[in-house]
Amino acid sequence: MPNNITSQIEPQTQSKEGLLARLVHREGDVVLRDGSTVRVQVMRPDDEQRLFSLFKSLSEDSRWLRFLSLGKESVLAEEAHRESAVDYCRTFGLIVIGPEERIVGHAFYTSLSEDHAEVAFAIADDYQGRGLGSILLLQLAEVAAANGIQTFEAETVAANTAMLKVFRESGFHTEIKATAGYLHVSFPTSFTDEAIQRFEKRESIASVNALKLFFNPRAVAVVGASRKRGSLGGEIFHNLLSYALQGPVYPVNPSADVIQCVPAYPTVEEIPGPVDLAIIVVPARDVIPAAKSCGRKGVKALVVISAGFAETGSEGQERQAELVRVCRAFGMRLIGPNCMGILNTDSSVRLDATFAPDVPPPGRVGFSSQSGALGLAIIDHANSLGLGISTFVSVGNKADISGNDLLRYWESDPGTDVILLYLESFGNPKKFSQIARRVGRAKPIVVVKSGRSPAGARATSSHTGALIAASDVTVDALFRQAGVIRTDTLEELFDVATLLANQPLPRGPRVGIVTNAGGPAILCADACEARGLQIPVLTDESQKKLRALLKTEASVSNPVDMIASATAEQYRETIRVVANDPNVDSLIIIFIPPLVTRAEDVARVISEEVAKLNKSKPVAAVFMSAAGAPDELRAGCVRVPSYRFPETAAIALARAARYQEWRERAETAPPRFEDVRREEAAGIVATALERGDGWLKPEETAALFACYSLPLIEQMVVDSPEAAALAADEMGCEVALKAIAPGVIHKTEAGVVRLHLRGAEEVCASARMITEQLSSHGQAPTGFLVQRMAQSGVEMLVGVVHDPQFGPVVACGAGGVQVELLRDVAVRLAPLSKEDAAEMIRSLKTYPLLTGFRGARMCDVAALENGLLRVSAMVENIPQIAELDCNPFVVHESGAVILDARVRVSAVGPRPLLGVRA
């Protein structure tokens, strides 16, 4: 859950202005149960008058339930004054802004003691029953918990069933005590797993209801419809008519009476019937007035095709922000701007609100594209492949509706089995990961994410930062952990989608290859094994059957090469044998047209035999000819995906197999460490931040690591060569000496490390030599680090970089001075599960060094895993850790030790409140 460290350390000592500044970052839009949006803001003293207006607007029943009286105006004014006089810590409030800047909801707590507070809510009558109370309760609890409030209490009348329902269904462990006519409710402010799950379910319901307005409208208006075919307004209106939308389509154009044989209206407001969805395709300067007109009409969903918004610069960004403000004011949801529209092939809807020249066939694939131009190509390519689409969305600038909303919609859509996404950017990658993990357990998500280039990489000074910068390994990590299938190209995306949409998932990695030519089969086998698939030898029984039906020149072990003379019937019998072999999980069938056997006959046989498999094993076909796959391959009740080259089929199958492996893996939560001293760690970082952003002192790093039981080697920080000598004497063992100096990040490279020193005299002399060395470069050490010399082991790296979008990125790899040369690193996003940590370590090329390579002793891999998990927990709890290096993290036969550790902290802004759209 979101956790802001500055709120954990004596918030009473911060000024009101400082506390407010910390909290305003959390403000934002939230989605209500019906799909509409409102804005949640922190209560300020100057909101008093608007809060008074809310109290006055409440019905007598609502006043009684809120104030335990009918509340005269003077009483309401006094209460508004009291509840708006917040200090942002012991007293705090949230307000909800609806249309016309009206306050439609309010939540407030005031402390009763050090860790208890009384809580109260007021919801405008016309906003009750829309989930607003639940949102405010969760967000208020989040702030209260951060400010040290552990328990909420509320006094309410027994008749207040609505608020009692909110408390009961929140997922908090609620205690209710009854007195005469009243109920006393108390519950902890800390989030339970049940509370989080219920909130996520509420968010999903809100997203689904919002998108139903787009995909299943009762009536559609096209603002900017045109009589001129070839124009955007003309083509969109034509497509809506020609695809036979199951409802009225209204053209809106003040310059025309009739458009494409349909009476036109000068404005949306003059349309006689209700309008659910409006498609706006007018010049950018006219979009805002058109949107306001739609709002006054009561339209609830807008698709803005028009360009000229955030993609064009600062003026366009302001125009887009104003468009969003208009939509919020009228309770409308928005797709776009700068998009190509939406499409729903459901026969009961038949919505084509795009300007594409063709409509893809109906099917069970949901597709979202962030690029409008690519959207056109996508629809055209889907047509050529016969890939059926359920719904298509061009999200454009994603000013409102995003890929996360669409994932939630497709999760609940019974007409969608496979989800395809073309992404150029993330709005909220953390949320994407959470949703994708859940959705991917039932429906595969296939993504092309552009932007693999190093442009715009962060400038970092740690080893970890250098390994992670200039790449999109964070995106790869997110997709890997969330079970998302990432493809490198759009063509590969369709290759995988065609397989997933038409064939079952493979039960394992073993592939049977059937071919009439040896060369393509070898290429196919190589491609399979290069991507983690296996080419097993068929059973003796299967080989015996194949020898009986094929020529003696044929190869029957796997790949099965039937040679060029193979007939269609031999294909049939061979497919049956290989498909029934217990060593085979999936099949790739390759055909190169010889002189005698017709491709059409082979395609017919493949289609018939695949149908008989009854989706028990996936089958991919490869027809290596300029003509491509014959139509017979798609003529039966089961469609068989076909590819031009064997490597393409192997790659698609490998991605499907890897996804199935992820889906079958048990989902586990990150471990919780009972010995962690979280508050103490927060205090160490907060104290360091008083100096400003920067690296922790060695003693601060040691204290921080001790709070999370990270095995930092025994060490002492001293301020002079003489003190270093005394420290070495006190340790009474062989020591290492390291200088501490401003700007010296990599100590070994700077030559300020001395190893295997014995006795005070040797340590003192070495410290003086280092001082002279630094002085010759205009530097002076501020101190020395004296460490116990560690026994040898395998040197690893454990590190973290805090990505501004993705949060903490955890890295594990080969460590020591050659870390950036070897670049053997695995990356995941925090928080890590035990499976994540184990997978990271075992994926390294240097992993054999930990498991007895060439007769070496086995190392304690569990100790390294434990270190990874504890680092992950620390950086997840303390988002102000910007960079962290444990290098080397030396793994021994028993246990592990960190020889060098550095931590950089930064006063990053807190994450948004739970539920706020980011």
Side-chain angles (χ1 to χ4, degrees):
M1 297 309 302
N3 168 45
N4 178 27
I5 188 171
T6 59
S7 61
Q8 297 176 359
I9 31 165
E10 300 300 332
Q12 305 94 312
T13 65
Q14 301 182 43
S15 68
K16 288 178 63 174
E17 293 76 13
L19 288 166
L20 177 59
R22 171 175 59 83
L23 290 162
V24 293
H25 293 281
R26 295 173 173 259
E27 299 178 338
D29 299 322
V30 296
V31 185
L32 302 183
R33 189 178 292 134
D34 61 0
S36 62
T37 60
V38 290
R39 182 169 183 80
V40 175
Q41 293 182 182
V42 175
M43 183 80 190
R44 296 165 175 81
D46 56 9
D47 292 317
E48 177 182 341
Q49 191 56 44
R50 286 195 297 169
L51 182 61
F52 177 44
S53 297
L54 169 65
F55 289 166
K56 286 194 301 181
S57 72
L58 297 175
S59 65
E60 287 190 356
D61 285 346
S62 295
R63 286 193 195 183
W64 171 256
L65 296 175
R66 170 62 170 82
F67 302 108
L68 306 182
S69 71
L70 294 180
K72 296 179 181 179
E73 282 202 12
S74 59
V75 175
L76 298 178
E78 183 179 337
E79 192 63 23
H81 177 74
R82 182 180 77 90
E83 296 186 16
S84 61
V86 292
D87 64 9
Y88 308 111
C89 179
R90 311 314 298 174
T91 56
F92 178 80
L94 292 169
I95 55 174
V96 181
I97 308 300
E100 300 178 354
E101 295 300 304
R102 166 188 163 219
I103 293 181
V104 298
H106 173 240
F108 172 78
Y109 78 71
T110 182
S111 60
L112 300 171
S113 64
E114 182 75 15
D115 56 4
H116 281 59
E118 182 182 14
V119 64
F121 301 85
I123 309 296
D125 290 88
D126 55 333
Y127 274 78
Q128 293 177 10
R130 296 164 72 174
L132 192 49
S134 298
I135 293 172
L136 288 174
L137 172 60
L138 287 160
Q139 295 193 358
L140 199 68
E142 184 180 354
V143 174
N147 284 338
I149 303 295
Q150 298 179 13
T151 304
F152 270 163
E153 299 182 12
E155 195 85 18
T156 185
V157 294
N160 196 351
T161 55
M163 187 50 64
L164 290 171
K165 183 180 180 182
V166 169
F167 290 146
R168 187 171 57 251
E169 295 183 352
S170 64
F172 292 103
H173 297 305
T174 306
E175 292 184 8
I176 300 178
K177 296 180 180 179
T179 58
Y182 295 93
L183 296 174
H184 182 82
V185 183
S186 63
F187 54 90
T189 58
S190 57
F191 289 101
T192 63
D193 291 339
E194 183 184 2
I196 297 169
Q197 289 169 6
R198 291 193 180 190
F199 192 84
E200 289 175 349
K201 183 178 180 181
R202 192 210 66 79
E203 283 191 311
S204 293
I205 292 170
S207 292
V208 169
N209 287 337
L211 283 159
K212 282 180 179 177
L213 300 169
F214 291 93
F215 290 132
N216 195 13
R218 292 171 299 172
V220 178
V222 180
V223 182
S226 174
R227 290 174 292 195
K228 183 181 178 182
R229 292 295 307 279
S231 66
L232 295 184
E235 289 304 306
I236 290 172
F237 187 67
H238 170 77
N239 286 351
L240 284 163
L241 293 177
S242 62
Y243 200 50
L245 176 73
Q246 302 299 296
V249 182
Y250 300 109
V252 176
N253 191 322
S255 303
D257 295 326
V258 176
I259 294 177
Q260 300 184 37
C261 301
V262 180
Y265 298 87
T267 68
V268 172
E269 294 167 82
E270 295 182 52
I271 295 173
V275 176
D276 290 335
L277 170 64
I279 314 297
I280 297 181
V281 53
V282 298
R285 64 179 181 275
D286 299 325
V287 168
I288 303 298
K292 290 179 178 178
S293 180
C294 290
R296 291 189 291 269
K297 173 64 179 175
V299 174
K300 293 301 180 186
L302 291 185
V303 176
V304 177
I305 307 294
S306 314
F309 289 84
E311 79 280 3
T312 63
S314 58
E315 183 179 346
Q317 290 168 2
E318 178 52 39
R319 185 181 295 120
Q320 182 166 305
E322 177 60 20
L323 174 61
V324 172
R325 285 192 289 268
V326 169
C327 290
R328 295 291 181 263
F330 287 102
M332 296 184 291
R333 301 305 304 274
L334 169 68
I335 287 177
N338 186 32
C339 71
M340 63 162 286
I342 63 175
L343 188 149
N344 184 358
T345 63
D346 189 327
S347 59
S348 65
V349 180
R350 297 187 64 83
L351 170 72
D352 181 8
T354 73
F355 49 85
D358 298 301
V359 181
R364 305 187 66 79
V365 176
F367 202 121
S368 168
S369 173
Q370 199 169 337
S371 165
L374 279 175
L376 292 172
I378 286 163
I379 290 176
D380 181 61
H381 197 55
N383 268 316
S384 68
L385 293 173
L387 181 66
I389 300 293
S390 58
T391 43
F392 169 83
V393 182
S394 168
V395 293
N397 291 0
K398 299 193 298 184
D400 180 18
I401 294 292
S402 68
N404 291 347
D405 296 305
L406 290 164
L407 283 180
R408 290 184 177 117
Y409 175 82
W410 283 320
E411 176 186 20
S412 68
D413 179 25
T416 298
D417 293 333
V418 179
I419 298 167
L420 308 183
L421 303 174
Y422 170 74
L423 298 175
E424 294 175 352
S425 63
F426 286 103
N428 188 337
K430 278 269 188 180
K431 182 64 70 175
F432 176 92
S433 176
Q434 293 168 6
I435 299 169
R437 283 176 190 246
R438 185 181 71 242
V439 176
R441 294 288 168 182
K443 300 180 181 184
I445 302 168
V446 191
V447 173
V448 169
K449 168 67 173 67
S450 61
R452 286 184 180 267
S453 70
R458 295 177 306 277
T460 56
S461 52
S462 67
H463 290 295
T464 306
L467 290 171
I468 292 176
S471 72
D472 67 342
V473 292
T474 50
V475 177
D476 277 334
L478 183 153
F479 288 158
R480 188 181 294 109
Q481 288 171 270
V484 173
I485 303 170
R486 183 177 191 175
T487 63
D488 295 322
T489 65
L490 279 171
E491 183 177 16
E492 189 182 332
L493 176 111
F494 280 107
D495 291 339
V496 176
T498 305
L499 180 69
L500 294 173
N502 296 295
Q503 293 294 304
L505 290 168
R507 295 177 180 175
R510 304 169 301 174
V511 182
I513 301 172
V514 176
T515 182
N516 66 347
I522 295 171
L523 290 173
C524 187
D526 288 346
C528 285
E529 293 192 336
R531 287 161 179 81
L533 297 176
Q534 301 168 11
I535 310 298
V537 175
L538 300 182
T539 64
D540 292 342
E541 183 180 354
S542 294
Q543 293 189 48
K544 182 179 179 181
K545 290 178 181 178
L546 291 172
R547 287 193 187 97
L549 68 93
L550 298 176
K551 291 187 177 181
T552 55
E553 299 89 342
S555 173
V556 297
S557 59
N558 193 24
V560 178
D561 181 4
M562 302 181 295
I563 71 174
S565 60
T567 65
E569 285 306 309
Q570 286 176 321
Y571 262 97
R572 184 190 303 277
E573 296 301 323
T574 301
I575 290 170
R576 287 179 180 174
V577 172
V578 177
N580 288 319
D581 191 293
N583 291 345
V584 171
D585 300 310
S586 55
L587 282 81
I588 296 177
I589 304 168
I590 303 170
F591 177 79
I592 293 182
L595 295 176
V596 288
T597 307
R598 296 173 66 245
E600 293 83 357
D601 295 335
V602 173
R604 187 180 301 107
V605 163
I606 293 174
S607 182
E608 291 170 357
E609 292 306 310
V610 171
K612 293 175 184 176
L613 288 175
N614 196 27
K615 292 198 170 185
S616 60
K617 295 180 180 181
V619 177
V622 178
F623 278 76
M624 298 183 68
S625 71
D631 292 338
E632 285 80 358
L633 204 61
R634 298 188 287 266
C637 58
V638 176
R639 299 178 68 91
V640 182
S642 179
Y643 303 90
R644 289 184 178 272
F645 300 103
E647 301 96 326
T648 312
I651 291 170
L653 194 59
R655 297 207 185 278
R658 190 179 304 158
Y659 164 69
Q660 174 67 357
E661 180 186 0
W662 172 86
R663 198 163 82 161
E664 290 181 343
R665 190 185 307 158
E667 191 171 11
T668 58
R672 295 180 178 178
F673 297 102
E674 300 300 328
D675 59 343
V676 164
R677 304 193 300 277
R678 185 168 169 176
E679 290 75 16
E680 183 181 337
I684 293 166
V685 174
T687 301
L689 283 171
E690 291 179 359
R691 302 192 302 267
D693 295 357
W695 296 97
L696 296 187
K697 297 176 182 178
E699 58 269 31
E700 292 171 329
T701 299
L704 177 65
F705 277 33
C707 291
Y708 280 81
S709 298
L710 287 165
L712 188 62
I713 196 163
E714 180 189 352
Q715 61 184 31
M716 296 178 67
V717 179
V718 296
D719 59 4
S720 66
E722 293 75 19
L726 291 174
D729 255 354
E730 186 177 332
M731 286 186 178
C733 62
E734 196 174 48
V735 299
L737 180 70
K738 302 175 183 179
I740 303 167
V744 175
I745 303 299
H746 305 305
K747 296 182 179 66
T748 302
E749 289 91 324
V752 295
V753 177
R754 301 290 187 271
L755 304 177
H756 300 290
L757 303 179
R758 282 192 172 275
E761 185 176 335
E762 189 175 1
V763 170
C764 187
S766 295
R768 286 172 178 163
M769 288 177 61
I770 292 174
T771 302
E772 291 174 6
Q773 176 185 327
L774 288 172
S775 297
S776 66
H777 293 89
Q779 292 179 291
T782 58
F784 295 91
L785 197 61
V786 182
Q787 294 181 330
R788 178 183 296 274
M789 276 299 301
Q791 67 185 77
S792 61
V794 177
E795 294 189 348
M796 304 297 291
L797 162 82
V798 174
V800 176
V801 170
H802 191 105
D803 186 282
Q805 269 200 312
F806 293 80
V809 183
V810 183
C812 178
V817 296
Q818 297 177 337
V819 55
E820 286 159 36
L821 175 65
L822 297 175
R823 301 191 72 83
D824 181 24
V825 64
V827 171
R828 297 292 186 275
L829 304 184
L832 301 182
S833 66
K834 289 183 178 180
E835 289 73 18
D836 289 330
E839 184 182 65
M840 289 175 75
I841 296 168
R842 283 156 182 78
S843 70
L844 297 171
K845 295 175 185 176
T846 47
Y847 174 64
L849 295 177
L850 296 167
T851 57
F853 183 68
R854 290 194 172 183
R857 292 182 178 181
M858 298 281 290
C859 291
D860 192 348
V861 176
L864 178 58
E865 289 179 2
N866 184 60
L868 266 174
L869 293 168
R870 288 179 178 274
V871 165
S872 168
M874 181 168 68
V875 297
E876 183 70 9
N877 291 341
I878 309 174
Q880 282 71 18
I881 294 177
E883 289 185 71
L884 177 150
D885 257 357
C886 300
N887 181 38
F889 192 117
V890 181
V891 188
H892 299 136
E893 187 176 357
S894 177
V897 65
I898 301 166
L899 300 190
D900 196 16
R902 296 179 303 111
V903 178
R904 184 172 66 85
V905 294
S906 176
V908 296
R911 286 168 274 190
L913 284 165
L914 184 66
V916 168
R917 297 174 61 80

